[in-house]
Amino acid sequence: MENFKIDVDADGIALVTFDVPGQSMNTLTNGVMAELPTLVERLKTDDAIKGAVITSGKASGFCAGADLGDISGGMLAGGGGLQGAYDAGWRFNGALRALETCGKPVAAAINGLALGGGLELALACHYRVVGDSPKIQLGLPEIKVGLFPGGGGTQRLPRLIGVQAALMAMTAGSSWRPNDAKGAGVVHEVVAPGTEVEAAKAWLKAGGKGVQPWDTKEFKIPGGGPYHPAGMQNFLVGNAMIRKQSYGNFPAAINLMKAVYEGLQVPMDAALRIETRYFIKTLMTPQAQAMIRSLFLSKQELDKGAVRPAGIPKSDPKKVTVIGAGMMGAGIAYVQALAGIETILIDRDQDAADKGKAHVADLLKKRLSKGAIDQAKYDALLGSVTATTDYDLIKGSDLVIEAVFENREIKADVTKRAEAQLAPGAIFGSNTSTLPITGLAEASVRPEDFIGIHFFSPVDKMMLVEIILGEKTGQAAIAKSLDYILKIKKTPIVVNDSRGFYTSRCFSTFLMEGMAMLEEGYAPALIDNIGRMTGMPRGPLEMHDDVALDLSYKIAKQTALDLGDKFVPAEGADIVAKMVEGGRFGRKNGMGFYDYASKPKTIWPGLAELAPTTKGIDGPEEPTAFAQIDELKTRLLYRQAVEVARCWEEGVIDDPREADLGAILGWGFAPWTGGPITLIDQTGLSTFVETCDRLTATYGDRFKVPQLLRDMAAKGETFYGNFEGAQKAAA
């Protein structure tokens, strides 16, 4: 076997080392799946083997789960239809069932993270030992890519820790640290790192049994099953909670609940087959296919530097200066410190700079309290950040990032002062979210080294960074910026210059369409509820409050100055202006479309005077109501997708992977769609154009599609089809 090595000691204990060649992390590839039955057969039939310990040969982890590109392709390819897909899906499930019923005790020595199929492999073992390391996580995160556990997780986890705890963990895709996993009942023992195999062998030598609890006659589901008086409440409440969280957009969540509900009523062998059927059914949905491509495959490619210019030596930034120590600048300083980058944090006065470093300290204290770092590491990380007003300390920086106010004059002054300290080849990055980079670069004496590096707030949680190219930005600046972003473990996209760039420009259309609905007379609560029903994380009015109404107001004023007679006010601009002038700035000062002093927040009563409610969901009959709801949902999603298509036609973005992942990670575009480009492709170009033409006729030119979409529709093309064809041609 290529992926498993077996060593049998004098006590008859087989040490099975899982080590996929050529990979830094073990994953469940088709090759691994093919070898699992062989491994199990050897353990079962070799009389010299009395028991086994499965561990990893990788320092980075036990197993990170399935290689979804490899596995999903294998399940859906080959022309075997539904039966062929089921057989491929059952291969892993059947092998794990054979492992736990092989008649010999098997322990898992978990010496690194165990996620997805990696944890399912461990759950199929009779005993689980995990190292006590803050780097180790155990969980079943499949729901995050549109799937659910398909290797027995939906059946073994509820039987181990109870239905409620299992459903909460699987529907959230959450993970446990080692001691939390022991407390929950997921593992049996937490030991010092490096002693996992020794502890697992000790269990075997002490008479460990090779029988799972659910295979004994006396077994009862913790907390009760579907027809237990207490257990049935989990499904009654669980259905409501899933509906509240997903609005029916994620088939995986619904099918997960079905698999658990049905599986717990039958013996394990039948339960696992039920799980496989629902898993394959989910895998075949367009939502799962879209999410796997964008949130797994595309993300992996971009996280590995897929868009980095070729032929430029890799750089490794050691020292980076951040100018502006507000929440954004301090957040950038924090992620740099975690990545081992010496950071100079500059502000106008020492108090402001110190406040920024204090924010870094607060974020580090959270990691310290969770055991993710120790006191020595905390001291070292905080010590790598220098808070100052002295621009001379910029000397030696590989990169400077300005994160000051969205004001051209301030940014120009900062640029000139910082560049005076930079060595040739060092990069200057602006964290602007709206101002065109080419215009800001006019203040630079080295525009080839000037680039936009747009972080999202809060920086410590938001994974996307948008790189924006000015007209004179050089290839070396792009490469060095990407190297920096990958070092701080963020996902980059690269876009060309435009007002609002890609993310801010397209995201703003969601807010503006919500404002259009408000102007039309729809109730604020209805607008936000339907916004969440689309799969967006919040409604457009809520999000507008989050972004800050005064920021929208200031951006509108700056844009009006820049564009002059060409400026067209956004929908609801008058409403926003009156609110800001009345002191309502949004969530940040507790007053926006909502009043935040009360818990929960309530809609501001004064909004009714600025935007009277004259419309609702008409008609007592459900079909009419549903049709109206669907219309509003379509408007909110298609408004954004049309703007993405315009960005594509204008050359702002030209990679569907970046367009989709940037939309999901950057502004929360409905993940179940796979992103706006996938939404257009899966809808079909002709159908999408036809719907937009109807919306244009009804609501105005904001839904007017670019000619690009009409041309593609006429040719029967798709964005991904064209992109993949171009990649093949280039290869």
Side-chain angles (χ1 to χ4, degrees):
M1 293 181 289
E2 291 185 354
N3 302 287
F4 299 97
K5 179 183 177 182
I6 301 177
D7 291 306
V8 183
D9 65 16
D11 295 313
I13 298 175
L15 179 62
V16 179
T17 304
F18 182 16
D19 196 350
V20 180
Q23 293 187 185
S24 60
M25 175 70 73
N26 285 330
T27 58
L28 299 170
T29 63
N30 277 318
V32 171
M33 300 291 199
E35 288 183 359
L36 270 173
T38 303
L39 168 66
V40 174
E41 187 65 18
R42 167 79 187 277
L43 298 180
K44 180 179 180 179
T45 59
D46 190 334
D47 292 337
I49 296 175
K50 308 303 180 186
V53 174
I54 300 177
T55 193
S56 168
K58 308 286 188 188
S60 54
F62 183 75
C63 177
D67 182 333
L68 289 177
D70 200 19
I71 298 302
S72 65
M75 289 180 182
L76 299 179
L82 188 60
Q83 183 64 51
Y86 172 84
D87 291 342
W90 175 252
R91 182 171 55 173
F92 182 51
N93 230 339
L96 294 188
R97 181 58 176 161
L99 177 68
E100 70 180 1
T101 58
C102 71
K104 298 175 182 178
V106 181
I110 305 170
N111 54 343
L113 64 81
L115 299 174
L119 180 57
E120 288 177 301
L121 171 59
L123 292 178
C125 296
H126 306 103
Y127 195 76
R128 288 167 293 283
V129 178
V130 62
D132 188 7
S133 168
K135 294 182 179 180
I136 294 178
Q137 298 180 58
L138 302 97
L140 299 171
E142 290 89 343
I143 202 78
K144 295 180 179 180
V145 291
L147 293 173
F148 65 82
T154 69
Q155 304 308 313
R156 293 189 179 92
L157 195 63
R159 286 168 168 84
L160 272 178
I161 67 175
V163 174
Q164 181 178 355
L167 281 175
M168 289 177 65
M170 290 187 287
T171 55
S174 57
S175 57
W176 296 276
R177 297 294 180 183
N179 284 302
D180 294 330
K182 184 176 186 297
V186 177
V187 300
H188 299 87
E189 195 175 350
V190 178
V191 299
T195 66
E196 299 91 354
V197 171
E198 178 185 343
K201 285 187 174 182
W203 173 78
L204 288 168
K205 293 175 183 177
K209 303 298 182 183
V211 179
Q212 295 281 32
W214 42 84
D215 287 326
T216 62
K217 291 182 179 179
E218 62 273 15
F219 175 73
K220 292 183 179 180
I221 299 169
Y227 289 105
H228 186 278
M232 70 171 59
Q233 297 299 317
N234 293 314
F235 296 97
L236 293 173
V237 176
N239 273 325
M241 290 183 65
I242 286 177
R243 183 69 191 182
K244 178 183 177 182
Q245 294 166 359
S246 70
Y247 292 95
N249 291 321
F250 297 88
I254 298 167
N255 289 339
L256 165 63
M257 178 71 80
K258 291 179 178 179
V260 174
Y261 178 77
E262 296 177 22
L264 290 180
Q265 300 180 55
V266 296
M268 181 60 81
D269 291 289
L272 294 174
R273 293 191 176 277
I274 288 171
E275 178 191 81
T276 298
R277 285 198 290 272
Y278 278 117
F279 179 81
I280 295 301
K281 180 179 180 180
T282 303
L283 181 62
M284 289 182 162
T285 62
Q287 293 92 330
Q289 292 295 298
M291 292 179 72
I292 289 170
R293 180 168 66 186
S294 293
L295 295 172
F296 185 81
L297 301 177
S298 293
K299 188 175 186 302
Q300 276 195 336
E301 292 166 5
L302 295 177
D303 285 348
K304 293 177 181 177
V307 295
R308 189 183 188 278
I312 298 175
K314 186 173 177 59
S315 62
D316 183 16
K318 303 289 188 182
K319 178 180 179 181
V320 175
T321 293
V322 180
I323 304 176
M327 293 294 287
M328 179 67 78
I332 297 170
Y334 167 73
V335 297
Q336 288 180 181
L338 286 182
I341 298 173
E342 179 189 354
T343 298
I344 307 298
L345 184 59
I346 296 179
D347 214 310
R348 292 173 297 178
D349 57 66
Q350 192 61 44
D351 283 346
D354 289 340
K355 286 180 181 177
K357 184 169 181 177
H359 182 62
V360 176
D362 289 341
L363 292 172
L364 288 172
K365 286 175 184 175
K366 290 180 181 179
R367 297 183 67 85
L368 181 65
S369 66
K370 294 177 181 178
I373 56 174
D374 57 23
Q375 186 64 47
K377 186 69 171 178
Y378 169 88
D379 293 338
L381 292 175
L382 189 59
S384 70
V385 179
T386 301
T388 183
T389 61
D390 189 356
Y391 275 67
D392 286 343
L393 295 184
I394 292 175
K395 289 184 175 69
S397 294
D398 302 293
L399 169 69
V400 168
I401 298 175
E402 66 84 356
V404 300
F405 294 115
E406 291 287 276
N407 179 284
R408 289 183 185 280
E409 289 71 29
I410 295 175
K411 289 181 181 291
D413 177 63
V414 164
T415 300
K416 292 171 183 176
R417 294 179 66 187
E419 285 188 344
Q421 308 296 331
L422 286 177
I427 306 303
F428 186 94
S430 174
N431 182 55
T432 180
S433 60
T434 57
L435 301 177
I437 293 301
T438 300
L440 294 179
E442 292 174 0
S444 173
V445 296
R446 40 200 285 181
E448 70 280 1
D449 292 328
F450 193 101
I451 196 166
I453 302 179
H454 177 208
F455 285 84
F456 295 79
S457 185
V459 178
D460 57 300
K461 295 180 180 178
M462 299 294 282
M463 297 309 298
L464 188 76
V465 178
E466 182 180 33
I467 294 179
I468 307 104
L469 312 184
E471 288 181 3
K472 297 181 180 179
T473 301
Q475 294 293 296
I478 301 171
K480 291 177 181 178
S481 299
L482 284 167
D483 293 339
Y484 161 73
I485 292 166
L486 297 182
K487 183 168 183 175
I488 61 173
K489 293 182 170 55
K490 300 290 186 183
T491 298
I493 63 170
V494 179
V495 305
N496 286 309
D497 206 5
S498 168
R499 184 168 296 278
F501 318 127
Y502 172 63
T503 54
S504 296
R505 171 178 167 178
C506 297
F507 166 60
S508 67
T509 62
F510 178 63
L511 307 186
M512 288 189 286
E513 194 59 28
M515 293 302 299
M517 292 175 181
L518 190 65
E519 287 186 317
E520 290 169 23
Y522 285 102
L526 176 66
I527 294 168
D528 275 350
N529 282 334
I530 289 178
R532 288 189 292 271
M533 289 171 69
T534 67
M536 296 291 290
R538 298 166 76 77
L541 304 183
E542 291 176 302
M543 277 196 170
H544 213 150
D545 272 356
D546 291 346
V547 169
L549 302 182
D550 62 324
L551 178 60
S552 295
Y553 180 68
K554 291 173 184 176
I555 290 172
K557 291 183 70 174
Q558 181 67 61
T559 305
L561 289 172
D562 290 347
L563 298 184
D565 294 340
K566 296 181 180 179
F567 175 69
V568 178
E571 294 87 349
D574 289 343
I575 296 174
V576 172
K578 290 175 182 177
M579 293 175 70
V580 171
E581 290 163 4
R584 304 192 70 83
F585 301 157
R587 182 182 286 271
K588 69 180 184 180
N589 78 333
M591 298 186 296
F593 292 106
Y594 292 83
D595 282 323
Y596 294 90
S598 60
K599 302 291 181 182
K601 65 182 186 290
T602 56
I603 293 170
W604 174 47
L607 187 58
E609 297 179 12
L610 296 179
T613 297
T614 59
K615 289 185 178 180
I617 297 299
D618 298 331
E621 297 182 12
E622 288 185 348
T624 304
F626 287 148
Q628 249 192 303
I629 291 171
D630 286 344
E631 176 78 348
L632 295 177
K633 288 167 62 177
T634 299
R635 285 174 58 180
L636 288 170
L637 289 178
Y638 277 41
R639 176 79 187 273
Q640 298 174 76
V642 166
E643 196 64 30
V644 170
R646 290 175 185 149
C647 285
W648 192 286
E649 184 178 64
E650 294 169 21
V652 176
I653 197 161
D654 60 5
D655 186 324
R657 300 170 301 179
E658 293 178 289
D660 278 341
L661 195 58
I664 295 172
L665 297 184
W667 74 85
F669 189 84
W672 64 270
T673 67
I677 291 295
T678 296
L679 172 65
I680 296 172
D681 274 0
Q682 287 193 342
T683 300
L685 272 291
S686 295
T687 301
F688 184 84
V689 169
E690 181 181 331
T691 301
C692 287
D693 285 345
R694 179 184 63 77
L695 294 173
T696 301
T698 307
Y699 305 105
D701 284 349
R702 61 184 185 272
F703 290 101
K704 187 176 181 179
V705 301
Q707 187 60 40
L708 168 73
L709 290 189
R710 296 190 188 280
D711 294 342
M712 291 177 65
K715 297 175 185 176
E717 296 175 340
T718 64
F719 284 97
Y720 274 94
N722 288 352
F723 178 73
E724 290 163 1
Q727 283 187 311
K728 290 178 181 178

